Amino acid sequence: MADIGFGWGGVILAGVTDSDDVPAWQRRTAGESRVAATAAVLAIVVLQLALPNQFLPEPAWLLPALETVLLGFLVVANPVRIDREETWLRWGGLILIGLLALATAWSADRLVVGLIDGTLSGEPAKLLATGGAIWLTNVVVFGLGYWEFDRGGPAARAHARQTLPDFLFVQMQNPELAEPDWEPQFIDYLYLAFTNATAFSPTDVMPMSRWAKTMMMAQSAISLILAALVIARAINVLQ
């Protein structure tokens, strides 16, 4: 997970300041605690292991094992706060996100195909539980993705490498309504992913860059397909 996030190092942007008169998200800070993001990755691994083997590439233990090992490596390399900017750490975070996304995409594909061709179990409770787990995994993975890529990742944000946000939070527009040290952290991106998956559109967080809009469109489409097919199939079985 990124350490899940680290800037590409190097050049300090013009105008960046450590002054308390500048909002925290626009100046250098101590860096975000990695606890929440680490817990999110572990939750995804647990959900993957709880799924039937048919929903993960064979061997089913391989991707969860790789994710766990890579997560452990990143935690050891940057254990407390995500503020260390190293290219190899950045790539480690991106690879972890890629593995999580690959496993989620595979699970979603197997679920959709199984629902369409009728090969999945006719047990509605099991179907809803499996669909719910995959839907939840999708939400958390996209939350990690938003968190990892916004303004270069959490380490780059800690060093204020980029001043233009990819996601515009309410606290950025109305700093007088936020704590002086407020800056977006993982839970804010997880909230963004959850509301986008349920409302199928932005709510109070606006995507500013094209990649952010593209990711949100993809997440909304996946969530809509999963919810519609799983619920429709479960109702059909119950009838």
PDB file of all heavy atoms in Angstrom, residues 7 11 15 90 105 107 114 122 143 177 182 186 194 211 215 221 223-224:
ATOM      1  N   GLY A   7       6.535  11.012  -3.586  1.00  0.00           N
ATOM      2  CA  GLY A   7       6.768  11.875  -4.727  1.00  0.00           C
ATOM      3  C   GLY A   7       7.958  11.395  -5.494  1.00  0.00           C
ATOM      4  O   GLY A   7       8.670  10.516  -5.081  1.00  0.00           O
ATOM      5  N   VAL A  11      12.709  18.394  -6.833  1.00  0.00           N
ATOM      6  CA  VAL A  11      12.586  19.842  -6.990  1.00  0.00           C
ATOM      7  C   VAL A  11      11.460  20.386  -6.125  1.00  0.00           C
ATOM      8  O   VAL A  11      10.352  19.871  -6.138  1.00  0.00           O
ATOM      9  CB  VAL A  11      12.320  20.197  -8.464  1.00  0.00           C
ATOM     10  CG1 VAL A  11      12.165  21.692  -8.616  1.00  0.00           C
ATOM     11  CG2 VAL A  11      13.445  19.667  -9.332  1.00  0.00           C
ATOM     12  N   GLY A  15       7.136  28.966  -4.553  1.00  0.00           N
ATOM     13  CA  GLY A  15       5.983  29.442  -3.813  1.00  0.00           C
ATOM     14  C   GLY A  15       5.586  28.557  -2.654  1.00  0.00           C
ATOM     15  O   GLY A  15       4.743  28.927  -1.855  1.00  0.00           O
ATOM     16  N   ARG A  90       8.227   4.576  -4.317  1.00  0.00           N
ATOM     17  CA  ARG A  90       7.076   4.974  -5.135  1.00  0.00           C
ATOM     18  C   ARG A  90       6.634   3.823  -6.033  1.00  0.00           C
ATOM     19  O   ARG A  90       5.449   3.517  -6.129  1.00  0.00           O
ATOM     20  CB  ARG A  90       7.461   6.203  -5.967  1.00  0.00           C
ATOM     21  CG  ARG A  90       6.398   6.634  -6.980  1.00  0.00           C
ATOM     22  CD  ARG A  90       5.144   7.147  -6.311  1.00  0.00           C
ATOM     23  NE  ARG A  90       4.232   7.742  -7.277  1.00  0.00           N
ATOM     24  CZ  ARG A  90       2.979   8.074  -7.010  1.00  0.00           C
ATOM     25  NH1 ARG A  90       2.506   7.879  -5.800  1.00  0.00           N
ATOM     26  NH2 ARG A  90       2.211   8.608  -7.926  1.00  0.00           N
ATOM     27  N   ALA A 105     -10.187  -6.773 -10.370  1.00  0.00           N
ATOM     28  CA  ALA A 105     -10.722  -6.860 -11.734  1.00  0.00           C
ATOM     29  C   ALA A 105     -11.032  -8.305 -12.102  1.00  0.00           C
ATOM     30  O   ALA A 105     -12.067  -8.593 -12.724  1.00  0.00           O
ATOM     31  CB  ALA A 105      -9.722  -6.268 -12.727  1.00  0.00           C
ATOM     32  N   SER A 107     -11.792 -10.780 -10.008  1.00  0.00           N
ATOM     33  CA  SER A 107     -12.960 -11.198  -9.234  1.00  0.00           C
ATOM     34  C   SER A 107     -14.247 -10.649  -9.835  1.00  0.00           C
ATOM     35  O   SER A 107     -15.248 -11.365  -9.966  1.00  0.00           O
ATOM     36  CB  SER A 107     -12.818 -10.734  -7.782  1.00  0.00           C
ATOM     37  OG  SER A 107     -11.682 -11.290  -7.172  1.00  0.00           O
ATOM     38  N   GLY A 114     -20.115 -15.238 -14.461  1.00  0.00           N
ATOM     39  CA  GLY A 114     -20.895 -16.296 -13.820  1.00  0.00           C
ATOM     40  C   GLY A 114     -22.363 -15.948 -13.694  1.00  0.00           C
ATOM     41  O   GLY A 114     -23.240 -16.817 -13.824  1.00  0.00           O
ATOM     42  N   GLY A 122     -26.987 -21.004  -7.024  1.00  0.00           N
ATOM     43  CA  GLY A 122     -28.319 -20.435  -6.938  1.00  0.00           C
ATOM     44  C   GLY A 122     -28.703 -20.020  -5.539  1.00  0.00           C
ATOM     45  O   GLY A 122     -29.850 -19.678  -5.289  1.00  0.00           O
ATOM     46  N   GLY A 143     -10.355   3.711  -3.519  1.00  0.00           N
ATOM     47  CA  GLY A 143      -9.959   4.673  -2.499  1.00  0.00           C
ATOM     48  C   GLY A 143      -8.444   4.761  -2.383  1.00  0.00           C
ATOM     49  O   GLY A 143      -7.869   5.858  -2.294  1.00  0.00           O
ATOM     50  N   LEU A 177     -13.882  26.792   7.575  1.00  0.00           N
ATOM     51  CA  LEU A 177     -14.735  25.785   8.214  1.00  0.00           C
ATOM     52  C   LEU A 177     -13.959  24.541   8.621  1.00  0.00           C
ATOM     53  O   LEU A 177     -14.554  23.581   9.123  1.00  0.00           O
ATOM     54  CB  LEU A 177     -15.871  25.395   7.260  1.00  0.00           C
ATOM     55  CG  LEU A 177     -16.799  26.521   6.807  1.00  0.00           C
ATOM     56  CD1 LEU A 177     -17.860  25.989   5.852  1.00  0.00           C
ATOM     57  CD2 LEU A 177     -17.445  27.206   8.010  1.00  0.00           C
ATOM     58  N   TRP A 182      -5.867  20.875   8.732  1.00  0.00           N
ATOM     59  CA  TRP A 182      -6.558  19.878   7.911  1.00  0.00           C
ATOM     60  C   TRP A 182      -5.859  19.693   6.567  1.00  0.00           C
ATOM     61  O   TRP A 182      -5.449  20.661   5.911  1.00  0.00           O
ATOM     62  CB  TRP A 182      -8.006  20.286   7.640  1.00  0.00           C
ATOM     63  CG  TRP A 182      -8.742  19.215   6.864  1.00  0.00           C
ATOM     64  CD1 TRP A 182      -9.480  18.196   7.389  1.00  0.00           C
ATOM     65  CD2 TRP A 182      -8.777  19.048   5.436  1.00  0.00           C
ATOM     66  NE1 TRP A 182      -9.973  17.399   6.372  1.00  0.00           N
ATOM     67  CE2 TRP A 182      -9.545  17.884   5.161  1.00  0.00           C
ATOM     68  CE3 TRP A 182      -8.231  19.749   4.367  1.00  0.00           C
ATOM     69  CZ2 TRP A 182      -9.793  17.418   3.882  1.00  0.00           C
ATOM     70  CZ3 TRP A 182      -8.456  19.281   3.078  1.00  0.00           C
ATOM     71  CH2 TRP A 182      -9.237  18.130   2.839  1.00  0.00           C
ATOM     72  N   PHE A 186      -6.159   9.310   4.043  1.00  0.00           N
ATOM     73  CA  PHE A 186      -6.742   8.150   3.379  1.00  0.00           C
ATOM     74  C   PHE A 186      -8.246   8.050   3.574  1.00  0.00           C
ATOM     75  O   PHE A 186      -8.984   7.728   2.637  1.00  0.00           O
ATOM     76  CB  PHE A 186      -6.079   6.854   3.858  1.00  0.00           C
ATOM     77  CG  PHE A 186      -6.761   5.636   3.317  1.00  0.00           C
ATOM     78  CD1 PHE A 186      -6.656   5.299   1.972  1.00  0.00           C
ATOM     79  CD2 PHE A 186      -7.553   4.841   4.137  1.00  0.00           C
ATOM     80  CE1 PHE A 186      -7.317   4.199   1.457  1.00  0.00           C
ATOM     81  CE2 PHE A 186      -8.215   3.739   3.627  1.00  0.00           C
ATOM     82  CZ  PHE A 186      -8.097   3.418   2.283  1.00  0.00           C
ATOM     83  N   PHE A 194     -16.404   5.561  -1.720  1.00  0.00           N
ATOM     84  CA  PHE A 194     -17.684   4.986  -1.295  1.00  0.00           C
ATOM     85  C   PHE A 194     -18.860   5.772  -1.865  1.00  0.00           C
ATOM     86  O   PHE A 194     -19.814   5.191  -2.391  1.00  0.00           O
ATOM     87  CB  PHE A 194     -17.766   4.956   0.232  1.00  0.00           C
ATOM     88  CG  PHE A 194     -19.047   4.359   0.742  1.00  0.00           C
ATOM     89  CD1 PHE A 194     -19.203   2.991   0.840  1.00  0.00           C
ATOM     90  CD2 PHE A 194     -20.106   5.174   1.123  1.00  0.00           C
ATOM     91  CE1 PHE A 194     -20.396   2.434   1.305  1.00  0.00           C
ATOM     92  CE2 PHE A 194     -21.296   4.633   1.585  1.00  0.00           C
ATOM     93  CZ  PHE A 194     -21.438   3.252   1.669  1.00  0.00           C
ATOM     94  N   TRP A 211      -7.435  12.524 -15.400  1.00  0.00           N
ATOM     95  CA  TRP A 211      -7.257  11.153 -14.916  1.00  0.00           C
ATOM     96  C   TRP A 211      -8.205  10.879 -13.750  1.00  0.00           C
ATOM     97  O   TRP A 211      -8.724   9.757 -13.618  1.00  0.00           O
ATOM     98  CB  TRP A 211      -5.808  10.896 -14.521  1.00  0.00           C
ATOM     99  CG  TRP A 211      -5.349  11.528 -13.226  1.00  0.00           C
ATOM    100  CD1 TRP A 211      -4.576  12.636 -13.085  1.00  0.00           C
ATOM    101  CD2 TRP A 211      -5.637  11.065 -11.888  1.00  0.00           C
ATOM    102  NE1 TRP A 211      -4.372  12.921 -11.748  1.00  0.00           N
ATOM    103  CE2 TRP A 211      -5.007  11.968 -10.994  1.00  0.00           C
ATOM    104  CE3 TRP A 211      -6.362  10.004 -11.365  1.00  0.00           C
ATOM    105  CZ2 TRP A 211      -5.079  11.832  -9.612  1.00  0.00           C
ATOM    106  CZ3 TRP A 211      -6.447   9.866  -9.981  1.00  0.00           C
ATOM    107  CH2 TRP A 211      -5.803  10.766  -9.121  1.00  0.00           C
ATOM    108  N   MET A 215     -10.965   7.877 -13.686  1.00  0.00           N
ATOM    109  CA  MET A 215     -11.037   6.851 -12.646  1.00  0.00           C
ATOM    110  C   MET A 215     -12.412   6.812 -12.003  1.00  0.00           C
ATOM    111  O   MET A 215     -12.956   5.732 -11.726  1.00  0.00           O
ATOM    112  CB  MET A 215      -9.969   7.106 -11.576  1.00  0.00           C
ATOM    113  CG  MET A 215      -8.584   6.608 -11.949  1.00  0.00           C
ATOM    114  SD  MET A 215      -7.412   6.701 -10.563  1.00  0.00           S
ATOM    115  CE  MET A 215      -8.085   5.452  -9.445  1.00  0.00           C
ATOM    116  N   ALA A 221     -19.042   2.923 -13.191  1.00  0.00           N
ATOM    117  CA  ALA A 221     -19.526   1.911 -14.127  1.00  0.00           C
ATOM    118  C   ALA A 221     -19.420   0.514 -13.539  1.00  0.00           C
ATOM    119  O   ALA A 221     -20.361  -0.292 -13.620  1.00  0.00           O
ATOM    120  CB  ALA A 221     -18.737   1.994 -15.436  1.00  0.00           C
ATOM    121  N   SER A 223     -19.243  -0.349 -10.334  1.00  0.00           N
ATOM    122  CA  SER A 223     -20.167  -0.485  -9.203  1.00  0.00           C
ATOM    123  C   SER A 223     -21.601  -0.675  -9.674  1.00  0.00           C
ATOM    124  O   SER A 223     -22.351  -1.488  -9.115  1.00  0.00           O
ATOM    125  CB  SER A 223     -20.079   0.751  -8.299  1.00  0.00           C
ATOM    126  OG  SER A 223     -18.797   0.870  -7.735  1.00  0.00           O
ATOM    127  N   LEU A 224     -21.992   0.058 -10.698  1.00  0.00           N
ATOM    128  CA  LEU A 224     -23.349  -0.056 -11.222  1.00  0.00           C
ATOM    129  C   LEU A 224     -23.596  -1.449 -11.795  1.00  0.00           C
ATOM    130  O   LEU A 224     -24.641  -2.068 -11.533  1.00  0.00           O
ATOM    131  CB  LEU A 224     -23.581   1.004 -12.297  1.00  0.00           C
ATOM    132  CG  LEU A 224     -24.963   1.005 -12.964  1.00  0.00           C
ATOM    133  CD1 LEU A 224     -26.052   1.225 -11.925  1.00  0.00           C
ATOM    134  CD2 LEU A 224     -25.025   2.082 -14.046  1.00  0.00           C
TER     135      LEU A 224
END
